[in-house]
PDB file of all heavy atoms in Angstrom:
ATOM      1  N   LEU J  58     -84.976 130.766  77.822  1.00 96.00           N
ATOM      2  CA  LEU J  58     -83.690 130.862  78.522  1.00 96.00           C
ATOM      3  C   LEU J  58     -82.622 131.461  77.601  1.00 96.00           C
ATOM      4  O   LEU J  58     -81.888 132.361  77.968  1.00 96.00           O
ATOM      5  CB  LEU J  58     -83.239 129.490  79.019  1.00 96.00           C
ATOM      6  CG  LEU J  58     -81.893 129.393  79.675  1.00 96.00           C
ATOM      7  CD1 LEU J  58     -81.886 130.123  81.009  1.00 96.00           C
ATOM      8  CD2 LEU J  58     -81.476 127.929  79.914  1.00 96.00           C
ATOM      9  N   SER J  59     -82.605 130.941  76.352  1.00 94.00           N
ATOM     10  CA  SER J  59     -81.589 131.393  75.423  1.00 94.00           C
ATOM     11  C   SER J  59     -81.780 132.863  75.066  1.00 94.00           C
ATOM     12  O   SER J  59     -80.816 133.586  74.862  1.00 94.00           O
ATOM     13  CB  SER J  59     -81.539 130.515  74.173  1.00 94.00           C
ATOM     14  OG  SER J  59     -82.681 130.760  73.381  1.00 94.00           O
ATOM     15  N   VAL J  61     -83.241 135.165  77.077  1.00 95.00           N
ATOM     16  CA  VAL J  61     -82.992 135.980  78.258  1.00 95.00           C
ATOM     17  C   VAL J  61     -81.511 136.271  78.473  1.00 95.00           C
ATOM     18  O   VAL J  61     -81.128 137.404  78.798  1.00 95.00           O
ATOM     19  CB  VAL J  61     -83.614 135.298  79.515  1.00 95.00           C
ATOM     20  CG1 VAL J  61     -83.026 135.855  80.795  1.00 95.00           C
ATOM     21  CG2 VAL J  61     -85.114 135.462  79.516  1.00 95.00           C
ATOM     22  N   ILE J  62     -80.677 135.272  78.256  1.00 95.00           N
ATOM     23  CA  ILE J  62     -79.269 135.458  78.528  1.00 95.00           C
ATOM     24  C   ILE J  62     -78.517 136.343  77.512  1.00 95.00           C
ATOM     25  O   ILE J  62     -77.325 136.557  77.617  1.00 95.00           O
ATOM     26  CB  ILE J  62     -78.489 134.109  78.786  1.00 95.00           C
ATOM     27  CG1 ILE J  62     -78.631 133.201  77.608  1.00 95.00           C
ATOM     28  CG2 ILE J  62     -78.972 133.476  80.093  1.00 95.00           C
ATOM     29  CD1 ILE J  62     -77.877 131.882  77.745  1.00 95.00           C
ATOM     30  N   HIS J  63     -79.261 136.830  76.546  1.00 94.00           N
ATOM     31  CA  HIS J  63     -78.692 137.865  75.671  1.00 94.00           C
ATOM     32  C   HIS J  63     -78.798 139.213  76.362  1.00 94.00           C
ATOM     33  O   HIS J  63     -78.131 140.169  75.968  1.00 94.00           O
ATOM     34  CB  HIS J  63     -79.452 137.943  74.340  1.00 94.00           C
ATOM     35  CG  HIS J  63     -79.008 136.890  73.360  1.00 94.00           C
ATOM     36  ND1 HIS J  63     -79.567 135.649  73.300  1.00 94.00           N
ATOM     37  CD2 HIS J  63     -78.033 136.908  72.433  1.00 94.00           C
ATOM     38  CE1 HIS J  63     -78.970 134.945  72.320  1.00 94.00           C
ATOM     39  NE2 HIS J  63     -78.028 135.689  71.793  1.00 94.00           N
ATOM     40  N   THR J  65     -79.466 139.637  80.161  1.00 96.00           N
ATOM     41  CA  THR J  65     -79.092 139.727  81.568  1.00 96.00           C
ATOM     42  C   THR J  65     -78.491 138.431  82.059  1.00 96.00           C
ATOM     43  O   THR J  65     -78.886 137.368  81.574  1.00 96.00           O
ATOM     44  CB  THR J  65     -80.339 140.104  82.439  1.00 96.00           C
ATOM     45  OG1 THR J  65     -79.937 140.459  83.766  1.00 96.00           O
ATOM     46  CG2 THR J  65     -81.348 138.994  82.533  1.00 96.00           C
ATOM     47  N   PRO J  66     -77.507 138.492  82.998  1.00 96.00           N
ATOM     48  CA  PRO J  66     -76.989 137.227  83.487  1.00 96.00           C
ATOM     49  C   PRO J  66     -78.019 136.556  84.420  1.00 96.00           C
ATOM     50  O   PRO J  66     -78.775 137.244  85.110  1.00 96.00           O
ATOM     51  CB  PRO J  66     -75.758 137.650  84.285  1.00 96.00           C
ATOM     52  CG  PRO J  66     -75.922 139.090  84.579  1.00 96.00           C
ATOM     53  CD  PRO J  66     -76.819 139.662  83.532  1.00 96.00           C
ATOM     54  N   LEU J  67     -78.017 135.244  84.443  1.00 96.00           N
ATOM     55  CA  LEU J  67     -79.001 134.544  85.210  1.00 96.00           C
ATOM     56  C   LEU J  67     -78.989 134.934  86.693  1.00 96.00           C
ATOM     57  O   LEU J  67     -80.050 134.993  87.349  1.00 96.00           O
ATOM     58  CB  LEU J  67     -78.840 133.013  85.087  1.00 96.00           C
ATOM     59  CG  LEU J  67     -79.211 132.411  83.746  1.00 96.00           C
ATOM     60  CD1 LEU J  67     -78.984 130.907  83.758  1.00 96.00           C
ATOM     61  CD2 LEU J  67     -80.676 132.717  83.366  1.00 96.00           C
ATOM     62  N   GLU J  68     -77.801 135.143  87.222  1.00 96.00           N
ATOM     63  CA  GLU J  68     -77.717 135.444  88.674  1.00 96.00           C
ATOM     64  C   GLU J  68     -78.394 136.762  89.005  1.00 96.00           C
ATOM     65  O   GLU J  68     -78.706 137.019  90.173  1.00 96.00           O
ATOM     66  CB  GLU J  68     -76.269 135.424  89.193  1.00 96.00           C
ATOM     67  CG  GLU J  68     -75.336 136.388  88.486  1.00 96.00           C
ATOM     68  CD  GLU J  68     -74.608 135.753  87.302  1.00 96.00           C
ATOM     69  OE1 GLU J  68     -75.114 134.788  86.711  1.00 96.00           O
ATOM     70  OE2 GLU J  68     -73.511 136.266  86.926  1.00 96.00           O
ATOM     71  N   THR J  92     -82.949 126.532  87.790  1.00 95.00           N
ATOM     72  CA  THR J  92     -82.011 127.430  87.123  1.00 95.00           C
ATOM     73  C   THR J  92     -81.760 128.694  87.949  1.00 95.00           C
ATOM     74  O   THR J  92     -80.669 129.219  87.927  1.00 95.00           O
ATOM     75  CB  THR J  92     -82.572 127.832  85.724  1.00 95.00           C
ATOM     76  OG1 THR J  92     -83.130 126.694  85.116  1.00 95.00           O
ATOM     77  CG2 THR J  92     -81.498 128.366  84.854  1.00 95.00           C
TER      78      THR J  92
ATOM     79  N   MET T   1     -68.129 128.634  76.832  1.00 45.00           N
ATOM     80  CA  MET T   1     -67.861 127.183  76.896  1.00 45.00           C
ATOM     81  C   MET T   1     -69.105 126.449  77.370  1.00 45.00           C
ATOM     82  O   MET T   1     -69.744 126.835  78.309  1.00 45.00           O
ATOM     83  CB  MET T   1     -66.718 126.977  77.876  1.00 45.00           C
ATOM     84  CG  MET T   1     -66.217 125.535  77.896  1.00 45.00           C
ATOM     85  SD  MET T   1     -65.045 125.251  79.229  1.00 45.00           S
ATOM     86  CE  MET T   1     -66.129 124.823  80.570  1.00 45.00           C
ATOM     87  N   GLU T   2     -69.417 125.385  76.656  1.00 48.00           N
ATOM     88  CA  GLU T   2     -70.596 124.596  77.053  1.00 48.00           C
ATOM     89  C   GLU T   2     -70.214 123.505  78.035  1.00 48.00           C
ATOM     90  O   GLU T   2     -69.147 122.925  77.936  1.00 48.00           O
ATOM     91  CB  GLU T   2     -71.227 123.906  75.817  1.00 48.00           C
ATOM     92  CG  GLU T   2     -72.092 124.838  75.014  1.00 48.00           C
ATOM     93  CD  GLU T   2     -72.708 124.137  73.850  1.00 48.00           C
ATOM     94  OE1 GLU T   2     -73.009 122.947  73.948  1.00 48.00           O
ATOM     95  OE2 GLU T   2     -72.869 124.810  72.826  1.00 48.00           O
ATOM     96  N   ILE T   3     -71.097 123.243  79.012  1.00 46.00           N
ATOM     97  CA  ILE T   3     -70.877 122.148  79.936  1.00 46.00           C
ATOM     98  C   ILE T   3     -71.269 120.872  79.214  1.00 46.00           C
ATOM     99  O   ILE T   3     -72.314 120.807  78.557  1.00 46.00           O
ATOM    100  CB  ILE T   3     -71.770 122.333  81.190  1.00 46.00           C
ATOM    101  CG1 ILE T   3     -71.357 123.590  81.948  1.00 46.00           C
ATOM    102  CG2 ILE T   3     -71.802 121.093  82.067  1.00 46.00           C
ATOM    103  CD1 ILE T   3     -70.239 123.432  82.927  1.00 46.00           C
ATOM    104  N   VAL T 101     -82.084 123.005  79.989  1.00 96.00           N
ATOM    105  CA  VAL T 101     -81.170 124.103  80.224  1.00 96.00           C
ATOM    106  C   VAL T 101     -79.996 124.025  79.218  1.00 96.00           C
ATOM    107  O   VAL T 101     -79.601 125.036  78.610  1.00 96.00           O
ATOM    108  CB  VAL T 101     -80.661 124.092  81.700  1.00 96.00           C
ATOM    109  CG1 VAL T 101     -79.558 125.113  81.896  1.00 96.00           C
ATOM    110  CG2 VAL T 101     -81.775 124.371  82.659  1.00 96.00           C
ATOM    111  N   GLY T 104     -81.155 125.303  75.983  1.00 95.00           N
ATOM    112  CA  GLY T 104     -81.179 126.791  75.968  1.00 95.00           C
ATOM    113  C   GLY T 104     -79.818 127.349  75.791  1.00 95.00           C
ATOM    114  O   GLY T 104     -79.611 128.328  75.030  1.00 95.00           O
ATOM    115  N   GLN T 105     -78.828 126.767  76.461  1.00 94.00           N
ATOM    116  CA  GLN T 105     -77.443 127.246  76.349  1.00 94.00           C
ATOM    117  C   GLN T 105     -76.929 127.120  74.933  1.00 94.00           C
ATOM    118  O   GLN T 105     -76.321 128.010  74.378  1.00 94.00           O
ATOM    119  CB  GLN T 105     -76.549 126.458  77.313  1.00 94.00           C
ATOM    120  CG  GLN T 105     -75.136 127.022  77.376  1.00 94.00           C
ATOM    121  CD  GLN T 105     -74.180 126.050  78.050  1.00 94.00           C
ATOM    122  OE1 GLN T 105     -74.222 124.847  77.813  1.00 94.00           O
ATOM    123  NE2 GLN T 105     -73.352 126.566  78.911  1.00 94.00           N
ATOM    124  N   LYS T 106     -77.271 125.970  74.338  1.00 94.00           N
ATOM    125  CA  LYS T 106     -76.814 125.718  72.954  1.00 94.00           C
ATOM    126  C   LYS T 106     -77.443 126.729  71.991  1.00 94.00           C
ATOM    127  O   LYS T 106     -76.773 127.268  71.128  1.00 94.00           O
ATOM    128  CB  LYS T 106     -77.217 124.289  72.579  1.00 94.00           C
ATOM    129  CG  LYS T 106     -76.472 123.759  71.375  1.00 94.00           C
ATOM    130  CD  LYS T 106     -76.776 122.293  71.158  1.00 94.00           C
ATOM    131  CE  LYS T 106     -76.192 121.838  69.844  1.00 94.00           C
ATOM    132  NZ  LYS T 106     -76.641 120.514  69.495  1.00 94.00           N
ATOM    133  N   ALA T 108     -78.469 129.639  72.623  1.00 93.00           N
ATOM    134  CA  ALA T 108     -78.019 131.012  72.892  1.00 93.00           C
ATOM    135  C   ALA T 108     -76.706 131.323  72.163  1.00 93.00           C
ATOM    136  O   ALA T 108     -76.377 132.488  71.958  1.00 93.00           O
ATOM    137  CB  ALA T 108     -77.834 131.209  74.393  1.00 93.00           C
ATOM    138  N   GLY T 109     -75.970 130.270  71.768  1.00 91.00           N
ATOM    139  CA  GLY T 109     -74.709 130.483  71.043  1.00 91.00           C
ATOM    140  C   GLY T 109     -73.757 131.335  71.822  1.00 91.00           C
ATOM    141  O   GLY T 109     -73.374 131.019  72.944  1.00 91.00           O
ATOM    142  N   LYS T 110     -73.412 132.487  71.233  1.00 91.00           N
ATOM    143  CA  LYS T 110     -72.438 133.375  71.913  1.00 91.00           C
ATOM    144  C   LYS T 110     -73.143 134.521  72.581  1.00 91.00           C
ATOM    145  O   LYS T 110     -72.643 135.660  72.567  1.00 91.00           O
ATOM    146  CB  LYS T 110     -71.449 133.910  70.850  1.00 91.00           C
ATOM    147  CG  LYS T 110     -70.564 132.785  70.279  1.00 91.00           C
ATOM    148  CD  LYS T 110     -69.483 133.378  69.441  1.00 91.00           C
ATOM    149  CE  LYS T 110     -68.679 132.386  68.627  1.00 91.00           C
ATOM    150  NZ  LYS T 110     -68.394 131.098  69.132  1.00 91.00           N
ATOM    151  N   ALA T 111     -74.270 134.282  73.200  1.00 94.00           N
ATOM    152  CA  ALA T 111     -75.027 135.342  73.896  1.00 94.00           C
ATOM    153  C   ALA T 111     -74.119 135.962  74.947  1.00 94.00           C
ATOM    154  O   ALA T 111     -73.261 135.279  75.560  1.00 94.00           O
ATOM    155  CB  ALA T 111     -76.275 134.746  74.535  1.00 94.00           C
ATOM    156  N   GLU T 112     -74.351 137.239  75.235  1.00 94.00           N
ATOM    157  CA  GLU T 112     -73.503 137.983  76.114  1.00 94.00           C
ATOM    158  C   GLU T 112     -73.342 137.318  77.497  1.00 94.00           C
ATOM    159  O   GLU T 112     -72.261 137.310  78.097  1.00 94.00           O
ATOM    160  CB  GLU T 112     -74.022 139.439  76.288  1.00 94.00           C
ATOM    161  CG  GLU T 112     -73.083 140.325  76.983  1.00 94.00           C
ATOM    162  CD  GLU T 112     -73.542 141.755  77.059  1.00 94.00           C
ATOM    163  OE1 GLU T 112     -74.548 142.108  76.396  1.00 94.00           O
ATOM    164  OE2 GLU T 112     -72.904 142.549  77.794  1.00 94.00           O
ATOM    165  N   TYR T 113     -74.470 136.811  78.020  1.00 95.00           N
ATOM    166  CA  TYR T 113     -74.428 136.213  79.354  1.00 95.00           C
ATOM    167  C   TYR T 113     -74.540 134.688  79.355  1.00 95.00           C
ATOM    168  O   TYR T 113     -74.967 134.100  80.302  1.00 95.00           O
ATOM    169  CB  TYR T 113     -75.530 136.849  80.216  1.00 95.00           C
ATOM    170  CG  TYR T 113     -75.418 138.336  80.314  1.00 95.00           C
ATOM    171  CD1 TYR T 113     -76.280 139.193  79.610  1.00 95.00           C
ATOM    172  CD2 TYR T 113     -74.411 138.940  81.050  1.00 95.00           C
ATOM    173  CE1 TYR T 113     -76.158 140.553  79.659  1.00 95.00           C
ATOM    174  CE2 TYR T 113     -74.253 140.325  81.117  1.00 95.00           C
ATOM    175  CZ  TYR T 113     -75.155 141.139  80.402  1.00 95.00           C
ATOM    176  OH  TYR T 113     -75.016 142.486  80.482  1.00 95.00           O
ATOM    177  N   ALA T 114     -74.124 134.079  78.252  1.00 95.00           N
ATOM    178  CA  ALA T 114     -74.211 132.607  78.116  1.00 95.00           C
ATOM    179  C   ALA T 114     -73.446 131.898  79.246  1.00 95.00           C
ATOM    180  O   ALA T 114     -73.870 130.846  79.748  1.00 95.00           O
ATOM    181  CB  ALA T 114     -73.703 132.170  76.793  1.00 95.00           C
ATOM    182  N   ALA T 115     -72.372 132.511  79.720  1.00 94.00           N
ATOM    183  CA  ALA T 115     -71.550 131.875  80.759  1.00 94.00           C
ATOM    184  C   ALA T 115     -72.335 131.713  82.063  1.00 94.00           C
ATOM    185  O   ALA T 115     -72.023 130.833  82.885  1.00 94.00           O
ATOM    186  CB  ALA T 115     -70.311 132.689  81.022  1.00 94.00           C
ATOM    187  N   SER T 116     -73.358 132.555  82.251  1.00 95.00           N
ATOM    188  CA  SER T 116     -74.120 132.475  83.501  1.00 95.00           C
ATOM    189  C   SER T 116     -74.934 131.182  83.628  1.00 95.00           C
ATOM    190  O   SER T 116     -75.435 130.858  84.677  1.00 95.00           O
ATOM    191  CB  SER T 116     -75.033 133.700  83.669  1.00 95.00           C
ATOM    192  OG  SER T 116     -76.074 133.724  82.724  1.00 95.00           O
ATOM    193  N   VAL T 117     -75.051 130.449  82.513  1.00 96.00           N
ATOM    194  CA  VAL T 117     -75.823 129.178  82.550  1.00 96.00           C
ATOM    195  C   VAL T 117     -74.926 128.053  83.102  1.00 96.00           C
ATOM    196  O   VAL T 117     -75.442 127.027  83.597  1.00 96.00           O
ATOM    197  CB  VAL T 117     -76.313 128.823  81.137  1.00 96.00           C
ATOM    198  CG1 VAL T 117     -77.120 127.542  81.135  1.00 96.00           C
ATOM    199  CG2 VAL T 117     -77.150 129.929  80.555  1.00 96.00           C
ATOM    200  N   ARG T 118     -73.608 128.248  83.033  1.00 95.00           N
ATOM    201  CA  ARG T 118     -72.688 127.171  83.417  1.00 95.00           C
ATOM    202  C   ARG T 118     -72.937 126.619  84.816  1.00 95.00           C
ATOM    203  O   ARG T 118     -73.013 125.415  85.018  1.00 95.00           O
ATOM    204  CB  ARG T 118     -71.264 127.692  83.324  1.00 95.00           C
ATOM    205  CG  ARG T 118     -70.413 126.837  82.390  1.00 95.00           C
ATOM    206  CD  ARG T 118     -69.024 127.343  82.349  1.00 95.00           C
ATOM    207  NE  ARG T 118     -68.834 128.427  81.383  1.00 95.00           N
ATOM    208  CZ  ARG T 118     -67.844 129.261  81.378  1.00 95.00           C
ATOM    209  NH1 ARG T 118     -66.901 129.206  82.297  1.00 95.00           N
ATOM    210  NH2 ARG T 118     -67.755 130.211  80.465  1.00 95.00           N
ATOM    211  N   GLN T 119     -73.096 127.561  85.785  1.00 95.00           N
ATOM    212  CA  GLN T 119     -73.233 127.111  87.193  1.00 95.00           C
ATOM    213  C   GLN T 119     -74.515 126.287  87.422  1.00 95.00           C
ATOM    214  O   GLN T 119     -74.450 125.174  87.976  1.00 95.00           O
ATOM    215  CB  GLN T 119     -73.181 128.312  88.105  1.00 95.00           C
ATOM    216  CG  GLN T 119     -72.913 127.896  89.540  1.00 95.00           C
ATOM    217  CD  GLN T 119     -72.983 129.085  90.517  1.00 95.00           C
ATOM    218  OE1 GLN T 119     -72.892 130.235  90.088  1.00 95.00           O
ATOM    219  NE2 GLN T 119     -73.121 128.773  91.752  1.00 95.00           N
ATOM    220  N   PRO T 120     -75.693 126.824  87.027  1.00 95.00           N
ATOM    221  CA  PRO T 120     -76.906 125.981  87.224  1.00 95.00           C
ATOM    222  C   PRO T 120     -76.844 124.664  86.469  1.00 95.00           C
ATOM    223  O   PRO T 120     -77.304 123.641  86.953  1.00 95.00           O
ATOM    224  CB  PRO T 120     -78.054 126.851  86.719  1.00 95.00           C
ATOM    225  CG  PRO T 120     -77.476 128.054  86.082  1.00 95.00           C
ATOM    226  CD  PRO T 120     -76.071 128.149  86.532  1.00 95.00           C
ATOM    227  N   LEU T 121     -76.206 124.684  85.287  1.00 96.00           N
ATOM    228  CA  LEU T 121     -76.129 123.448  84.488  1.00 96.00           C
ATOM    229  C   LEU T 121     -75.226 122.412  85.190  1.00 96.00           C
ATOM    230  O   LEU T 121     -75.569 121.224  85.267  1.00 96.00           O
ATOM    231  CB  LEU T 121     -75.612 123.766  83.097  1.00 96.00           C
ATOM    232  CG  LEU T 121     -75.691 122.655  82.049  1.00 96.00           C
ATOM    233  CD1 LEU T 121     -77.133 122.131  81.927  1.00 96.00           C
ATOM    234  CD2 LEU T 121     -75.248 123.154  80.672  1.00 96.00           C
ATOM    235  N   ALA T 122     -74.117 122.889  85.723  1.00 97.00           N
ATOM    236  CA  ALA T 122     -73.236 121.982  86.473  1.00 97.00           C
ATOM    237  C   ALA T 122     -73.957 121.420  87.715  1.00 97.00           C
ATOM    238  O   ALA T 122     -73.819 120.259  88.063  1.00 97.00           O
ATOM    239  CB  ALA T 122     -71.958 122.704  86.880  1.00 97.00           C
TER     240      ALA T 122
END
Side-chain angles (χ1 to χ4, degrees):
Chain J
L58 176 69
S59 72
V61 162
I62 56 178
H63 279 89
T65 191
L67 288 181
E68 59 268 24
T92 319
Chain T
M1 186 188 89
E2 279 181 35
I3 296 276
V101 173
Q105 187 194 43
K106 197 174 171 188
K110 294 189 188 326
E112 190 176 350
Y113 302 106
S116 66
V117 182
R118 237 181 275 162
Q119 196 186 342
L121 192 54

